[in-house]
Amino acid sequence: METKPDIYGWCGRILKIDLNDGSHHTEQIDNALYRKFIGGRGLAGYFLRPFITLPWNDNAMPLLLFTGPLVNTISPTSGRMTIMSRSPLTGAVGDCSVGGSLGTEIKKAGWDGIIITGKSDFLCGLEIINDEIKIVEAKQYTGWGTAATHQAINKKGATAVIGPAAENDVLFSSVIVDGHYAAGRGGIGLSFAIKNIKYLTVRGDKNTFIFDGPALKKSRADVMRLVSASPALMGEQGIARFGTGALYDLIDARTMMPTDNFRKSIFDRASKMNAFAYQQRYHPHNTGCRGCPVLCKKETAADLILPEFETMSHFSALIDNDNLEAVTEANRICNDLGMDTISAAATLACYAEISSLKITPEMLFSLLHDIGHIRGVGAELAEGSYRYALRRGRPETSMTVKKLELPGYDPRGAYGMALSYAVSTRGGCHLRAYPISHEILRKPVATDRFTFDGKARIIKTAEDLNAAVDSLTACKFLFFAASLEEYAQVFSAITGLQSSAEDLFRAGERIYYQEKLMNAANGFSQVDDDLPKRFFNDDSRKDDRIVLKAINRNDFYQARANYYRIRGLNEGGLPTKEKAAELGLLWKV
Amino acid sequence: MESLINKYSTKMISAGLAPAGAPLIALLDADVEWNRHDTLQKTLEQVMAGLHINSLIFSELAEPYKTIIDYLAVSSAPTIFPEDSETRTFFHDFPVCPTFSALELISALKHRKNVIVPKAGIVALGSVSPLQAYVSFSSVCFSCFVKFFTDYLWARRTGRIDKKMEDAFLKVINLLEPPHSPPTLATGPFASRNDILSAISEAGRATVQSRLVDSFFGNISYLACDILYISQTASSLDELEGNIDAVPLDGSSSVGITASSEYSAHRQIVNNTSYRAILHGHPKFSVILSLDCKINDCKFRGSCHTSCPQKREVCGISIVPGEIGKGLSKTVPAAIAHDPSVIVYGHGVFTAGVTDFNEPLQRLAAIENACRAEYFRRAGISSARQWPL
Ligand code: SF4
Ligand SMILES: [Zn+2]
């Protein structure tokens, strides 16, 4: 007779590793905690919160790798997971959603999450096969690029590795999963390096128990129908065909492509640097995360991963480069060194502006190597554009929010994006609320991109949505088509917990507020919820023509004040005891 | 924000979805704004406070939707399952809430984008714009209309019509508007960008104003100089100005990522035929008859919209399967290669023309009118009793 599992969807336990003494133990998770924080980003945040005021490099600062209840099931795009710690670059919460197969393998090994504390005495690799946890010497890989390291260890399972950049303290260093999926933003690679972890491999052979298989199949079909009907995802010019690079022409057509360090928003050579040009040049095939029907990554026959939209945009328009192969190579170098492409390109754009330099492809490659190996000016640039510009007495040239470099959408061309950059808990990030969805891609319907009217609530709602999505987990791109309405059915079928879109939104709201609490504990407040002055002071012009008007500061302030009210923050942008209690969050931990 | 609320109130009335003065529309940012005062505001504000939304529409229904939906709300409660494939894709099903209480409305709306309250009307939601609530409201009306007439034909064929159904049916058919005939449109061929954009906008508007489709249900394109001008996804056929993408057919730009989800079908039609003007809409009786299949024991029942293997037709027009996007991009272009009109099972009609939108629009109207007449023939009701043809 089949025995009934204790829990569906989740594994019911997490793995805690202490690198100080090499010990590890299992912790059972209470069901109530799952209901409150779901998994992924939510649960990782819950375990991070007690330590968030420690310096990012403190021995006790945890590094968290969390999957969610949907991972390792047939739920579409369930292959994603969260890596989190306190961000070395920003000092705020530092989480990355990352794809590949790592999340699935962690779940197959029987863990909802892994929490790593302490520091290893030696550069180490963590090797996990089901319940077997090994900490091994990785000295032989010192200074190795992520590609070679991945090659050397990938037989052991899914991989997460750092490159020389993290080993050399680059503040925007990344973690590369399975050879080419970047956990890019905020310097999470450095959180590995500080613990002396060069790599992690995970393999498992366990199944995730599903509460109601037929219901899961039905709800999966509901999601898939929406995915197939989505022009942004599956259309002839959508992400499945061109990758996120499909956005390049559109952002150009909307005259909001960050150009010359955000001094302009039209790149006159965009048409030769678009996704079509990459297809003509490389004839790539599709690849992507486990469990994904879209497969947005484009890979060449020579196993080269083509750049994503943000990288295409920033390594072309932002630094005034029209050499397509140079973009591909810059992307490869960043990934191999283990550095975030957005921060790297944006920091170089800041450097170019301050030094009045035109960066040629050769300079680009050598500067990236200099950053990764902290040589010459690279040592300064390795701290990101905020610190670099400040040191040079030109803080206005750092296009960052909370010290995190802005991605490929000029906020003067999409006011929801402007507000979401400013209030995001992780800094200058497009993914917290992803308003590109309605402001540019017309999903679920179009909104007026040149107004703040109504945007405060829209942004807050989308932040809650994406917090839930990152916790379940699923891929944000799918939400160009599906919604929590369908994913609530998926969640219920898997876990057996009755749920609704609103229940998941509510959990997302709690997860987001928890991040606000963590940032507030580290002194973040209204002054940090702001945009670089350039967007308020300068129009974006082409020749004599205004292509994007400067944002009206008062309108922005009003929208931000509205956002604070809707989010349940006080006028200074800080959390309140009452709201925390309403969401079931402790005021102090 | 105010203009947005008033816009949809006006639209609901002009589309025949709501009686004059009935729509109650709220838009929520830090504060809530209403289009008018109403005693139900308090309840609806409680509903809004319990949900992650930014807009809400509640309205009583105009006839014939009122009779249809009140009938279905009783006969199909607690949930109405749409039969047309597009509504099914986007809305799954429509919950029925027996009373107008905040708690009960919230418990239905936690799961779905709208809820039917019998004898009262429909509550519909939006997360970023009242347009979503409008589309949702309009989809319930369209879909229930289709289901009501489809169910009647099925019940008649299987001898299951009861008195309530018969009464509702007789009432409804006497409330139907007579068919409108579409106007004459600008004559092509069009060469300049401006002429093309205005021809597309004109044709879209005429399709809606002729009551052939509700504004959100359709798409339209025109080919000139290897550029396909096509309505954008999530655009309204009667408001296409500024919502048309110009997509190079050689694929050299991906600006068409915002084009209609049926871009692929449009592109293949213009690539493989001499047609240059393509119109797609969801006229109701064409959709209803596409669902009316007499083969009772077909093993594909339940997946007709994707897998129907039969060569079906109605009023001389082929009916093909195919879901939105990829599915129908395989079936529709192949059918249009033989005939300038095709009906997609449970979904809508594509028509094509060589020079301008006169041909496609007249075809769409002729198909719908023929299907309407054919429907009543199948229902055993003489057309003369219903409207002047
Ligand atoms: S769409 Fe791309 S990022 Fe998202 S799950 Fe699929 S492959 Fe991964
Ligand atoms: Zn359609």
Side-chain angles (χ1 to χ4, degrees):
Chain A
M1 203 181 86
E2 243 179 65
T3 52
K4 211 169 143 247
D6 296 335
I7 190 163
Y8 296 93
W10 292 279
C11 304
R13 59 181 202 155
I14 57 170
L15 171 65
K16 287 191 157 177
I17 301 174
D18 183 352
L19 289 175
N20 287 332
D21 58 8
S23 65
H24 64 84
H25 72 274
T26 301
E27 190 170 307
Q28 305 296 325
I29 302 288
D30 188 55
N31 273 352
L33 207 55
Y34 286 128
R35 283 172 183 268
K36 260 175 128 167
F37 296 103
I38 308 176
R41 183 172 143 198
L43 214 47
Y46 170 81
F47 285 108
L48 174 62
R49 192 175 165 202
F51 304 95
I52 193 68
T53 52
L54 295 174
W56 70 266
N57 53 2
D58 192 279
N59 199 300
M61 176 57 70
L63 169 63
L64 308 112
L65 299 102
F66 271 74
T67 75
L70 272 45
V71 178
N72 194 30
T73 72
I74 59 164
S75 170
T77 68
S78 55
R80 300 192 66 88
M81 61 169 293
T82 289
I83 307 182
M84 189 188 261
S85 192
R86 185 172 178 198
S87 163
L89 181 67
T90 68
V93 285
D95 61 291
C96 296
S97 163
V98 66
S101 66
L102 184 64
T104 308
E105 290 301 324
I106 291 176
K107 194 81 180 285
K108 283 169 94 172
W111 309 105
D112 288 319
I114 303 171
I115 302 179
I116 305 166
T117 49
K119 288 182 190 175
S120 163
D121 294 336
F122 51 92
L123 190 64
C124 73
L126 295 178
E127 299 183 353
I128 298 172
I129 301 176
N130 296 320
D131 284 2
E132 185 191 317
I133 287 88
K134 282 200 288 192
I135 302 169
V136 303
E137 188 82 65
K139 246 193 338 223
Q140 65 278 28
Y141 303 126
T142 307
W144 279 34
T146 63
T149 313
H150 168 72
Q151 277 303 321
I153 59 170
N154 68 8
K155 296 225 165 25
K156 297 172 195 281
T159 69
V161 309
I162 59 165
E167 291 175 55
N168 293 327
D169 296 338
V170 175
L171 279 179
F172 47 88
S173 52
S174 61
V175 173
I176 302 293
V177 168
D178 286 354
H180 54 239
Y181 301 89
R185 309 236 63 199
I188 198 77
L190 199 43
S191 304
F192 272 57
I194 201 68
K195 298 192 174 311
N196 249 334
I197 305 166
K198 175 71 183 179
Y199 71 83
L200 164 74
T201 60
V202 188
R203 199 170 72 212
D205 56 17
K206 298 187 173 68
N207 291 327
T208 297
F209 293 109
I210 308 297
F211 180 76
D212 185 344
L216 175 57
K217 276 202 183 128
K218 187 199 166 293
S219 49
R220 177 190 151 82
D222 286 346
V223 173
M224 295 301 287
R225 256 204 310 280
L226 288 163
V227 169
S228 301
S230 159
L233 294 177
M234 303 309 266
E236 287 193 1
Q237 309 208 328
I239 287 174
R241 165 93 191 280
F242 285 116
T244 51
L247 284 169
Y248 195 91
D249 287 316
L250 196 61
I251 299 302
D252 174 46
R254 302 292 179 266
T255 66
M256 55 181 289
M257 182 171 283
T259 303
D260 287 347
N261 201 28
F262 288 90
R263 280 173 289 179
K264 299 184 202 146
S265 64
I266 296 185
F267 182 49
D268 51 14
R269 286 143 290 159
S271 63
K272 60 178 270 207
M273 304 293 283
N274 64 4
F276 176 73
Y278 282 84
Q279 296 239 324
Q280 295 293 100
R281 168 67 187 78
Y282 296 105
H283 306 290
H285 58 265
N286 291 357
T287 178
C289 312
R290 273 283 170 90
C292 178
V294 180
L295 300 178
C296 74
K297 315 288 176 212
K298 306 296 146 196
E299 187 176 34
T300 69
D303 289 346
L304 190 66
I305 281 286
L306 294 184
E308 303 243 8
F309 165 69
E310 312 294 335
T311 313
M312 282 167 67
S313 176
H314 271 11
F315 274 124
S316 63
L318 198 72
I319 60 164
D320 190 24
N321 163 46
D322 61 4
N323 182 324
L324 183 146
E325 291 180 1
V327 180
T328 309
E329 177 60 5
N331 184 52
R332 190 199 64 75
I333 293 172
C334 284
N335 285 344
D336 197 43
L337 291 170
M339 307 196 295
D340 176 28
T341 52
I342 299 176
S343 285
T347 303
L348 288 178
C350 169
Y351 166 69
E353 181 175 349
I354 291 178
S355 331
S356 303
L357 271 173
K358 155 99 181 120
I359 298 179
T360 62
E362 292 68 34
M363 281 169 69
L364 171 61
F365 307 149
S366 88
L367 279 164
L368 289 173
H369 282 292
D370 287 347
I371 294 172
H373 294 98
I374 48 165
R375 292 186 300 239
V377 71
E380 275 182 83
L381 299 175
E383 293 188 328
S385 72
Y386 178 84
R387 292 171 176 86
Y388 171 74
L390 202 62
R391 185 171 305 132
R392 293 295 170 119
R394 297 283 307 279
E396 79 286 358
T397 60
S398 168
M399 306 311 285
T400 49
V401 172
K402 301 184 182 76
K403 304 192 183 83
L404 186 68
E405 285 74 15
L406 296 176
Y409 317 90
D410 192 312
R412 287 167 292 200
Y415 289 12
M417 186 55 98
L419 180 62
S420 73
Y421 280 157
V423 298
S424 151
T425 46
R426 84 168 181 174
C429 160
H430 56 299
L431 292 169
R432 282 299 202 239
Y434 221 8
I436 282 308
S437 179
H438 48 92
E439 291 193 318
I440 302 297
L441 288 171
R442 309 176 60 87
K443 288 298 165 193
V445 295
T447 60
D448 179 355
R449 65 191 174 110
F450 292 115
T451 181
F452 282 112
D453 280 359
K455 294 289 167 67
R457 182 168 296 273
I458 294 173
I459 293 305
K460 184 264 179 191
T461 299
E463 287 173 341
D464 295 346
L465 161 76
N466 287 323
V469 170
D470 283 341
S471 304
L472 285 167
T473 63
C475 176
K476 292 179 193 75
F477 295 151
L478 264 262
F479 289 76
F480 291 153
S483 68
L484 286 183
E485 186 179 330
E486 291 79 31
Y487 268 89
Q489 311 264 357
V490 171
F491 174 81
S492 295
I494 290 173
T495 63
L497 298 179
Q498 279 317 305
S499 185
S500 66
E502 184 55 32
D503 295 333
L504 293 177
F505 265 123
R506 199 71 185 151
E509 183 175 11
R510 179 180 305 117
I511 290 161
Y512 207 85
Y513 209 77
Q514 173 172 259
E515 293 169 0
K516 287 278 180 195
L517 283 163
M518 286 195 268
N519 281 356
N522 279 318
F524 286 91
S525 69
Q526 194 185 61
V527 288
D528 304 290
D529 292 344
D530 207 348
L531 293 171
K533 290 192 180 62
R534 181 161 289 169
F535 301 123
F536 299 113
N537 296 342
D538 304 337
D539 301 324
S540 152
R541 289 170 179 274
K542 181 170 169 58
D543 308 322
D544 282 340
R545 187 167 58 94
I546 296 177
V547 289
L548 293 176
K549 279 205 205 124
I551 297 169
N552 181 302
R553 215 180 224 297
N554 290 332
D555 292 350
F556 168 79
Y557 281 155
Q558 183 57 56
R560 190 180 63 181
N562 288 347
Y563 170 87
Y564 287 164
R565 265 182 66 196
I566 296 162
R567 172 62 72 204
L569 303 169
N570 69 20
E571 285 177 1
L574 295 173
T576 66
K577 234 181 188 169
E578 297 70 36
K579 187 69 188 182
E582 181 200 314
L583 292 170
L585 290 165
L586 292 175
W587 180 239
K588 289 259 182 299
V589 289
Chain B
M1 303 240 286
E2 195 187 317
S3 61
L4 214 52
I5 312 184
N6 292 330
K7 173 179 164 178
Y8 289 106
S9 166
T10 310
K11 239 180 142 159
M12 288 178 68
I13 297 160
S14 67
L17 303 174
L24 188 55
I25 306 187
L27 200 49
L28 186 63
D29 195 27
D31 298 300
V32 61
E33 275 182 58
W34 289 95
N35 65 325
R36 63 177 179 84
H37 289 290
D38 194 288
T39 48
L40 295 175
Q41 267 172 233
K42 204 170 147 230
T43 307
L44 292 171
E45 283 183 13
Q46 287 167 352
V47 171
M48 285 192 280
L51 298 167
H52 273 70
I53 58 169
N54 90 330
S55 40
L56 177 146
I57 293 179
F58 167 69
S59 182
E60 187 191 318
L61 291 147
E63 292 289 11
Y65 298 116
K66 185 172 164 40
T67 302
I68 288 174
I69 290 174
D70 281 344
Y71 168 78
L72 289 177
V74 174
S75 62
S76 307
T79 310
I80 299 175
F81 292 95
E83 310 239 320
D84 62 296
S85 62
E86 176 145 329
T87 313
R88 206 159 52 161
T89 297
F90 293 107
F91 294 92
H92 313 298
D93 53 51
F94 307 134
V96 177
C97 179
T99 56
F100 203 95
S101 88
L103 272 183
E104 287 195 41
L105 290 172
I106 289 173
S107 82
L109 291 167
K110 279 169 86 169
H111 298 274
R112 292 289 184 241
K113 300 176 189 81
N114 50 51
V115 59
I116 294 165
V117 188
K119 309 266 178 238
I122 297 170
V123 183
L125 313 175
S127 59
V128 304
S129 163
L131 170 58
Q132 290 164 281
Y134 171 76
V135 173
S136 178
F137 194 100
S138 158
S139 295
V140 178
C141 293
F142 169 82
S143 195
C144 286
F145 187 104
V146 168
K147 180 174 169 56
F148 179 81
F149 281 92
T150 309
D151 286 358
Y152 181 83
L153 222 47
W154 180 259
R156 186 182 150 84
R157 184 166 301 124
T158 51
R160 292 188 191 146
I161 296 179
D162 60 19
K163 175 148 177 14
K164 279 192 183 142
M165 184 182 243
E166 189 66 31
D167 288 351
F169 185 74
L170 291 175
K171 182 174 173 195
V172 165
I173 59 175
N174 283 307
L175 291 164
L176 293 179
E177 286 183 0
H180 297 242
S181 34
T184 306
L185 306 171
T187 48
F190 311 108
S192 81
R193 185 186 159 87
N194 282 347
D195 287 352
I196 294 165
L197 298 184
S198 73
I200 291 177
S201 304
E202 182 197 30
R205 200 171 302 111
T207 313
V208 175
Q209 282 169 358
S210 313
R211 289 279 169 93
L212 282 167
V213 302
D214 196 2
S215 63
F216 209 69
F217 305 135
N219 38 70
I220 179 165
S221 72
Y222 191 85
L223 177 75
C225 300
D226 286 336
I227 292 185
L228 186 64
Y229 295 84
I230 181 164
S231 54
Q232 292 184 320
T233 181
S235 60
S236 301
L237 276 179
D238 55 349
E239 291 178 63
L240 289 177
E241 288 82 0
N243 295 314
I244 297 166
D245 279 334
V247 190
L249 281 188
D250 64 3
S252 60
S253 160
S254 56
V255 281
I257 186 174
T258 47
S260 155
S261 46
E262 315 304 7
Y263 168 77
S264 181
H266 286 250
R267 183 192 58 71
Q268 291 179 69
I269 293 169
V270 299
N271 264 346
N272 303 336
T273 67
S274 56
Y275 300 121
R276 296 292 168 261
I278 318 296
L279 178 61
H280 165 57
H282 304 177
K284 297 187 188 86
F285 282 98
S286 312
V287 175
I288 292 163
L289 283 197
S290 76
L291 293 162
D292 183 41
C293 178
K294 297 185 186 84
I295 307 171
N296 284 340
D297 54 353
C298 177
K299 68 174 183 185
F300 291 97
R301 214 166 255 290
S303 58
C304 323
H305 59 300
T306 53
S307 325
C308 172
Q310 300 288 337
K311 242 178 146 350
R312 293 180 60 222
E313 61 169 53
V314 58
C315 303
I317 308 297
S318 308
I319 301 168
V320 298
E323 289 194 297
I324 308 159
K326 272 222 163 112
L328 67 79
S329 77
K330 296 199 181 95
T331 53
V332 167
I336 295 261
H338 302 291
D339 191 286
S341 314
V342 63
I343 301 176
V344 182
Y345 178 95
H347 177 165
V349 179
F350 280 81
T351 53
V354 177
T355 48
D356 56 42
F357 289 103
N358 282 300
E359 264 182 282
L361 181 60
Q362 297 299 337
R363 281 199 176 109
L364 193 75
I367 292 169
E368 176 63 357
N369 290 343
C371 285
R372 183 166 163 154
E374 172 64 12
Y375 180 88
F376 287 107
R377 193 193 63 73
R378 291 187 193 181
I381 291 181
S382 80
S383 60
R385 223 182 99 194
Q386 301 318 314
W387 64 85
L389 264 180

